[in-house]
Amino acid sequence: MSSKPEQKETHQANGAVLPIVPVDCLTSPDRGQLVEPSDFLGPDGDGVEVVVLESRANAKGVREEDALLENGSQSNESDDTSTDRGPEPASPLKETSFSIGLQVLFPFLLAGFGTVAAGMVLDIVQHWDVFKYVTEVFILVPALLGLKGNLEMTLASRLSTAANIGQMDTPKELWRMITGNMALIQVQATVVGFLASIAAVIFGWIPDGHFSIDHAVLLCASSVATAFIASLVLGMIMIGVIIGSRKMGINPDNVATPIAASLGDLITLALLSGISWGLYKELESKAYVNPLVCAFFIALLPIWIIIAKKNAATREVLYSGWEPVIIAMAISSVGGLILDRTVSDPNFAGMAVFTPVINGVGGNLVAVQASRISTYLHMSGMPGESSETAPRKCPSPCSTFFSSDVNSRSARVLFLLVVPGHLVFLYTISSMQGGHTTLTLIFIVFYMTAALLQVLILLYIADWMVHWMWGRDLDPDNFSIPYLTALGDLIGTGLLALSFHVLWLIGDRDSDVGD
């Protein structure tokens, strides 16, 4: 038997204050003979008080302990990583389908209209000289628009989890999370923007065998500047949204990631178009401007790295969070190559306005689901721990969409939002006369089929990927969303391009595809 000081130390490490009971309570008939009373007699024969430590074995039998554990799960103490907490998640995830849909609907529509606006912008700027003569800029579009999935949505998911488990309740903790995460996404944005420009140059050079050093530097400067500025603006918006939603009693997982996307596509595409156009104009008279812009943003990297390294919350991501971001950028660049080859064909020019919409909606919905599942798992333990909430086997489609689990319920709600949401967005595009495409019945059927199939695949992959990463001791908040949104860009662009090709082959002339 450990000494009393050792018992107190262990008692405090468990994170819950448990009752101190006399010896005769330990030998009562309802608890059984746990210890010999003689072991706890003092020199004068008096009883000595001992501490009863919590355990899984007696948790169901002690009503006082149950009450304390229940209260403990609602406390603001965020540094408790004990695995003795029960598998039931805390109150933020105990939601009905109606409450989930109600909280997701407005941010979803807001994000959708943001992607519609981005599509309208792309439909206009595709005729600019920089897009005509430096067609590799099209390859940058999904890669840089995908930054909202690589960086901002990951930031939103990470901060939503931190807010839900009480790690942003004090001003000191809040400031620490803000500074570390903002510095981190500036590092990631600069590096990913630079790598995206290299991928665009390579993917543009391979099919044609043509290389221009001026165009390569233009792509680098445009990509790095766009990624840096967009991430700075969107990161600040995300922090405000999460703090505000927490104060209003709204689950940040339901609103943060869609709002990140609502302005993300529009801001990023507008910045890319404006910056690339301005730098393209400077090529003739001031060729030194492009390398200077690129060098300026790269020179700021050491500052952001130092700030991010000093923060324990972001230090690990700074070292280990590059793989998903870089691979996601490469996947999105493949989608950009498909967009470049399709939009360059005059028969499919109308596809430009729909690409940000289908990719944005799919990415928004799967990001919400991944963020919710990750928070659900964080409330039951730590990454790598085996529990009832983190199955290791590949889930079946029935368990993903038709079980009574809260995550299955949210998957059904998100999937049911696809058709009405896209109908609203298609009507908006048509009323603004965007895309040079008339909305015929056959076009809507093909488009909706592609959109439903995209979201169905993404939601299933999210259910598998988040649990798989959790079982491999990887935090899904940092690793899952970049992969999922990049896959959304690739699947969405591929299915949309296929739909346009099929419509053109079967001669759907009423839709005026490509006019």
Side-chain angles (χ1 to χ4, degrees), residues 243-273:
I243 295 174
S245 62
R246 191 63 176 165
K247 289 183 178 180
M248 295 173 62
I250 298 174
N251 186 355
D253 284 313
N254 292 337
V255 299
T257 50
I259 292 178
S262 63
L263 298 175
D265 287 346
L266 180 59
I267 291 175
T268 304
L269 188 56
L271 284 172
L272 176 62
S273 303

Side-chain angles (χ1 to χ4, degrees), residues 147-198:
L147 279 179
K148 73 179 186 302
N150 294 350
L151 305 181
E152 279 74 37
M153 284 186 175
T154 302
L155 171 67
S157 179
R158 191 162 55 239
L159 293 182
S160 295
T161 298
N164 277 327
I165 64 178
Q167 291 183 352
M168 296 175 61
D169 291 340
T170 65
K172 182 178 180 180
E173 290 176 331
L174 180 62
W175 178 249
R176 178 174 56 85
M177 294 294 292
I178 290 175
T179 54
N181 279 282
M182 287 298 294
L184 174 65
I185 64 171
Q186 296 312 310
V187 175
Q188 292 178 324
T190 304
V191 174
V192 172
F194 179 74
L195 294 178
S197 65
I198 294 177

Side-chain angles (χ1 to χ4, degrees), residues 27 36 48 50 53 137 243 245 253 306 317 377 391 395 435 438 441 446 448 454:
T27 58
E36 291 294 332
V48 181
V50 297
L53 300 179
V137 178
I243 295 174
S245 62
D253 284 313
I306 292 173
V317 183
L377 293 174
T438 304
L441 178 61
F446 272 85
M448 288 299 175
Q454 176 207 33

Side-chain angles (χ1 to χ4, degrees), residues 172-474:
K172 182 178 180 180
E173 290 176 331
L174 180 62
W175 178 249
R176 178 174 56 85
M177 294 294 292
I178 290 175
T179 54
N181 279 282
M182 287 298 294
L184 174 65
I185 64 171
Q186 296 312 310
V187 175
Q188 292 178 324
T190 304
V191 174
V192 172
F194 179 74
L195 294 178
S197 65
I198 294 177
V201 171
I202 294 174
F203 286 147
W205 168 73
I206 290 176
D208 301 329
H210 175 72
F211 176 79
S212 171
I213 185 64
D214 290 337
H215 290 178
V217 177
L218 168 67
L219 289 171
C220 178
S222 302
S223 180
V224 171
T226 299
F228 182 92
I229 298 173
S231 294
L232 179 64
V233 174
L234 293 172
M236 295 174 64
I237 293 175
M238 276 303 88
I239 292 171
V241 166
I242 291 172
I243 295 174
S245 62
R246 191 63 176 165
K247 289 183 178 180
M248 295 173 62
I250 298 174
N251 186 355
D253 284 313
N254 292 337
V255 299
T257 50
I259 292 178
S262 63
L263 298 175
D265 287 346
L266 180 59
I267 291 175
T268 304
L269 188 56
L271 284 172
L272 176 62
S273 303
I275 292 173
S276 61
W277 177 81
L279 293 177
Y280 181 75
K281 292 295 184 181
E282 299 294 334
L283 274 180
E284 297 179 358
S285 58
K286 301 176 182 178
Y288 61 86
V289 172
N290 288 329
L292 278 181
V293 170
C294 193
F296 170 75
F297 287 104
I298 293 177
L300 293 176
L301 267 178
I303 299 176
W304 311 126
I305 292 175
I306 292 173
I307 297 175
K309 284 181 65 176
K310 288 183 177 180
N311 195 307
T314 56
R315 187 183 305 120
E316 180 183 355
V317 183
L318 181 65
Y319 290 126
S320 62
W322 292 103
E323 178 184 340
V325 172
I326 294 174
I327 293 178
M329 179 273 301
I331 295 173
S332 295
S333 296
V334 176
L337 180 60
I338 297 174
L339 178 64
D340 181 26
R341 291 299 157 187
T342 305
V343 175
S344 299
D345 189 337
N347 291 318
F348 309 112
M351 176 180 160
V353 71
F354 299 104
T355 302
V357 178
I358 192 170
N359 291 348
V361 169
N364 298 344
L365 294 177
V366 75
V368 170
Q369 181 70 352
S371 181
R372 289 177 58 87
I373 298 175
S374 179
T375 298
Y376 183 78
L377 293 174
H378 272 284
M379 289 180 174
S380 65
M382 296 296 293
E385 296 176 356
S386 177
S387 68
E388 296 178 5
T389 59
R392 293 182 177 273
K393 296 181 180 179
C394 184
S396 67
C398 290
S399 64
T400 300
F401 295 99
F402 301 109
S403 71
S404 59
D405 182 75
V406 63
N407 295 320
S408 178
R409 188 182 307 130
S410 63
R412 292 193 295 270
V413 172
L414 296 173
F415 184 75
L416 291 175
L417 289 175
V418 175
V419 171
H422 273 296
L423 286 176
V424 172
F425 305 145
L426 287 178
Y427 175 77
T428 304
I429 292 173
S430 177
S431 62
M432 297 176 68
Q433 298 180 349
H436 316 286
T437 302
T438 304
L439 297 183
T440 62
L441 178 61
I442 189 171
F443 174 82
I444 293 175
V445 169
F446 272 85
Y447 181 88
M448 288 299 175
T449 301
L452 286 170
L453 187 59
Q454 176 207 33
V455 173
L456 187 72
I457 294 172
L458 289 176
L459 290 176
Y460 177 75
I461 293 176
D463 191 23
W464 165 78
M465 182 178 289
V466 172
H467 288 101
W468 178 80
M469 288 181 172
W470 185 270
R472 292 177 62 88
D473 199 17
L474 300 174

Side-chain angles (χ1 to χ4, degrees), residues 131-143:
F131 283 85
K132 286 183 177 179
Y133 301 113
V134 190
T135 59
E136 293 84 358
V137 178
F138 279 113
I139 302 177
L140 286 177
V141 170

